[in-house]
Amino acid sequence: MESKFLGSRYEIKKLLSRGGFGTTYLAEDTQYPNNPLCVVKKLNSRIDNVNTEFLTIARRLFKKEAQTLAKLGKHDQIPRLLAFFEQEQEFYLVQEYVEGETLSHELIANQPWSQEKVTEFLKDLLSIVDFIHSNGVIHRDIKPDNLIRRKIDNKLVLVDFGTVKEVIQAQTEAISITVSVGTRGYMPTEQARGKPRYSSDIYAVGMIAIQALTGIHPLQLQEDSHGELLWLDRISYQPQLAEILTKMIRYHFKERYQSAAEILKLINHSLSENSNYSNNNKPTNQSKSLGTKLINRNNQKLQLPLKSLEISLTGLILVGITIVGIKYFPINSTAQEIKLAQQAAQSGNYRAAIELTQGLSNTPGLQQKIEFWSEQLLKEAQAKYTTKGELNTASLIIEDIIPENSSTKKSALKLLAGWRREYEYNQSILNIAQEELQQERWQNAKNEASKITGKTFFWREQANKIIQAADLGIQTQPGVVDLCSKAPDLCN
């Protein structure tokens, strides 16, 4: 039985939810004017036999998660972290209470939304997803129950970050944090295997949009032989919206959009130009035609708009009258994709260039192009890590985008292994140094910061922030230091 008071100030009013990762309560803050409501979440530590080593690791992971939540709470549509504490070897997070109803109340079976409403939903939620991804975080459980329609302004608020983890791929913890987190119907296959990607969240957003558009729960949709979901024959739709949603929920994560920002750009450019939606729930001839094209494109790398596709097909057919009838001469699709890849590379999009050439038969000069593009991608990955510390992004580029047949791959993987070792060591030192700052042990913090290794700009900057904050602390009267006001970079 839970104590009525937690952290000596939060009075529990009622149980909100209980799940595998935590228990959530509605509470009052008794030490704040007017006793405002807040949400208190107890994280399930799953500790059977508590020992010092395990508890130390658990505390470090908990503190890291709290720091992540504090950073994400700066977004207006993510609840602010108000406090975090440990009580009787259990860990608690206190967050802003958001008044409103979950999106589940709006998703009623067989009552589809208009396409205008779905488009606005995508804009609203993808802007939040873009923010959390830009901070190196995957939510991993985006679903209707974790989206609240805020009463005061009708905006969506993304909640339940209790399962959020920073995307650090090389963890050697005594306990595993790469576990399968998510909800069936909104969780793609790679996430079910415990290997979530940024595009895993994009998949979840796409599935909610399709549920809204069709009035059908994701688990009720059928799949084709390639694992792709079949939904286009259920409704009539705007072709551009159908293309966007289809790519968002592709079975393989590499075939989805790799960023929420990319989708937002497409929505703002493509959908704003065509506002002639059909809200009829019966498919039109045009939508059936497009549906067939989209469903049958599983082995294609490039999807063209319907009008462009029809024109292209017309241009590809060469008619010759012979004694046996009509002959058709298809275009050299390999040459076409190489041309498109070159255009992408010329604009600096080496990722797209590589993707377009994957699976093509080798042609003169193609391998040389792939080698050059791979070298450019490695430079991009190196810049991401050395200047911003974005290990997750660098890992994605090296492991998933630079192709196996590139001579750059081996050296890139070796470099990545070194970055991971450096990141793990430096991050552990940084955590200790930050804890020393919180305890106002200024010289200890400076000593720890001096242990941070590497010559990259990112790690030098982290060490300097600690030293700067410690120096400010030394000059301040004990017990009155507010690090966030004196050293704001530490809180960003």
Side-chain angles (χ1 to χ4, degrees):
M1 181 71 180
E2 296 288 343
S3 169
K4 187 179 180 182
F5 280 86
L6 294 172
S8 301
R9 66 183 290 177
Y10 302 105
E11 183 180 3
I12 296 174
K13 290 301 180 182
K14 68 175 180 178
L15 173 70
L16 293 178
S17 64
R18 190 188 303 273
F21 285 87
T23 305
T24 305
Y25 304 95
L26 182 66
E28 283 186 358
D29 187 346
T30 62
Q31 295 184 21
Y32 199 87
N34 299 321
N35 295 1
L37 291 173
C38 57
V39 173
V40 178
K41 182 162 187 175
K42 184 183 83 170
L43 301 186
N44 289 352
S45 57
R46 300 182 178 181
I47 300 176
D48 297 320
N49 297 307
V50 177
N51 60 69
T52 303
E53 181 183 2
F54 188 97
L55 206 53
T56 299
I57 293 172
R59 285 193 183 104
R60 182 155 64 85
L61 292 177
F62 173 64
K63 184 174 181 180
K64 182 178 182 62
E65 183 155 321
Q67 290 170 339
T68 299
L69 290 172
K71 182 168 57 176
L72 295 179
K74 294 179 180 180
H75 193 286
D76 176 60
Q77 290 167 269
I78 296 174
R80 289 179 296 117
L81 179 70
L82 303 176
F84 65 98
F85 59 92
E86 179 182 345
Q87 180 173 311
E88 297 179 357
Q89 296 182 337
E90 296 285 358
F91 303 105
Y92 296 86
L93 297 168
V94 184
Q95 288 183 287
E96 173 188 10
Y97 170 67
V98 179
E99 186 178 3
E101 296 283 357
T102 67
L103 195 69
S104 300
H105 289 81
E106 298 180 34
L107 296 172
I108 303 172
N110 301 315
Q111 293 188 26
W113 293 6
S114 69
Q115 294 184 59
E116 297 98 326
K117 185 175 179 179
V118 172
T119 301
E120 289 307 309
F121 161 79
L122 286 170
K123 289 180 180 179
D124 202 6
L125 182 52
L126 285 170
S127 66
I128 309 174
V129 173
D130 182 43
F131 174 79
I132 67 172
H133 287 182
S134 68
N135 280 280
V137 173
I138 301 174
H139 186 282
R140 297 200 291 172
D141 200 16
I142 297 177
K143 59 182 179 182
D145 284 340
N146 284 340
L147 290 165
I148 296 177
R149 183 75 70 179
R150 190 163 53 196
K151 186 176 180 179
I152 59 171
D153 58 9
N154 213 36
K155 287 186 177 180
L156 289 176
V157 177
L158 181 58
V159 302
D160 198 6
F161 279 78
T163 57
V164 170
K165 294 291 181 286
E166 295 244 0
V167 188
I168 302 173
Q169 299 200 9
Q171 287 287 347
T172 54
E173 304 291 351
I175 56 174
S176 172
I177 64 170
T178 307
V179 295
S180 177
V181 177
T183 301
R184 290 184 62 220
Y186 308 99
M187 174 174 58
T189 53
E190 75 277 359
Q191 185 174 329
R193 293 195 296 266
K195 297 182 178 180
R197 314 273 178 157
Y198 289 118
S199 62
S200 304
D201 282 348
I202 288 173
Y203 178 96
V205 176
M207 289 310 307
I208 298 173
I210 288 173
Q211 180 179 354
L213 199 58
T214 62
I216 301 169
H217 192 279
L219 293 177
Q220 295 178 311
L221 295 174
Q222 300 296 313
E223 297 179 355
D224 66 12
S225 58
H226 298 277
E228 305 291 353
L229 289 169
L230 303 174
W231 64 278
L232 290 160
D233 59 338
R234 303 295 188 109
I235 57 166
S236 60
Y237 44 77
Q238 184 192 22
Q240 291 92 335
L241 179 59
E243 290 183 25
I244 290 170
L245 291 176
T246 297
K247 187 170 180 179
M248 288 177 71
I249 64 162
R250 293 304 300 270
Y251 177 83
H252 198 285
F253 68 89
K254 287 186 178 180
E255 295 184 350
R256 299 180 211 133
Y257 297 104
Q258 297 304 304
S259 75
E262 181 183 2
I263 308 171
L264 284 168
K265 185 176 180 180
L266 282 172
I267 290 174
N268 290 329
H269 284 77
S270 301
L271 299 185
S272 61
E273 294 174 359
N274 186 350
S275 58
N276 296 320
Y277 297 99
S278 170
N279 295 325
N280 193 330
N281 202 37
K282 296 180 181 180
T284 62
N285 290 335
Q286 183 188 28
S287 64
K288 284 183 178 179
S289 174
L290 178 61
T292 302
K293 290 179 173 65
L294 289 171
I295 292 169
N296 292 332
R297 65 175 289 274
N298 294 304
N299 295 320
Q300 298 177 9
K301 292 182 178 296
L302 183 66
Q303 178 178 323
L304 298 174
L306 179 62
K307 185 176 180 181
S308 300
L309 182 61
E310 292 172 345
I311 294 173
S312 298
L313 289 174
T314 302
L316 301 182
I317 300 175
L318 300 177
V319 182
I321 305 299
T322 66
I323 58 174
V324 293
I326 301 177
K327 293 184 179 180
Y328 296 86
F329 300 90
I331 193 170
N332 184 340
S333 60
T334 297
Q336 180 69 15
E337 293 208 20
I338 292 175
K339 183 178 179 180
L340 289 171
Q342 287 177 309
Q343 291 174 351
Q346 287 171 359
S347 65
N349 193 345
Y350 300 106
R351 301 188 193 192
I354 291 290
E355 288 289 341
L356 285 165
T357 57
Q358 291 304 287
L360 297 182
S361 56
N362 206 355
T363 59
L366 176 58
Q367 187 59 37
Q368 185 177 0
K369 291 183 177 66
I370 290 175
E371 294 293 345
F372 176 74
W373 297 339
S374 297
E375 291 171 3
Q376 300 308 306
L377 284 170
L378 178 56
K379 290 179 181 178
E380 181 182 338
Q382 192 164 17
K384 290 289 185 182
Y385 175 71
T386 58
T387 62
K388 298 182 179 180
E390 294 180 2
L391 179 62
N392 56 302
T393 304
S395 300
L396 177 68
I397 294 172
I398 291 174
E399 292 185 325
D400 297 333
I401 301 178
I402 295 179
E404 297 295 335
N405 64 344
S406 166
S407 61
T408 304
K409 185 78 169 185
K410 186 176 181 180
S411 59
L413 288 171
K414 184 177 180 180
L415 194 60
L416 177 60
W419 293 344
R420 284 174 167 165
R421 289 191 296 270
E422 180 181 74
Y423 193 104
E424 183 180 359
Y425 173 79
N426 285 346
Q427 190 62 50
S428 64
I429 295 296
L430 192 62
N431 289 339
I432 295 171
Q434 288 174 334
E435 187 169 344
E436 295 292 343
L437 284 178
Q438 296 294 337
Q439 299 300 322
E440 300 188 12
R441 294 191 285 262
W442 313 121
Q443 192 57 50
N444 288 352
K446 293 178 70 172
N447 292 341
E448 290 297 329
S450 67
K451 297 177 184 178
I452 293 177
T453 63
K455 298 180 180 180
T456 65
F457 171 81
F458 174 76
W459 289 116
R460 288 200 308 271
E461 186 179 39
Q462 302 314 302
N464 289 336
K465 285 179 181 179
I466 296 292
I467 294 170
Q468 175 194 17
D471 286 338
L472 286 168
I474 291 171
Q475 301 167 19
T476 307
Q477 184 178 353
V480 295
V481 174
D482 180 355
L483 288 178
C484 286
S485 63
K486 286 185 168 296
D489 284 347
L490 282 172
C491 303
N492 293 331

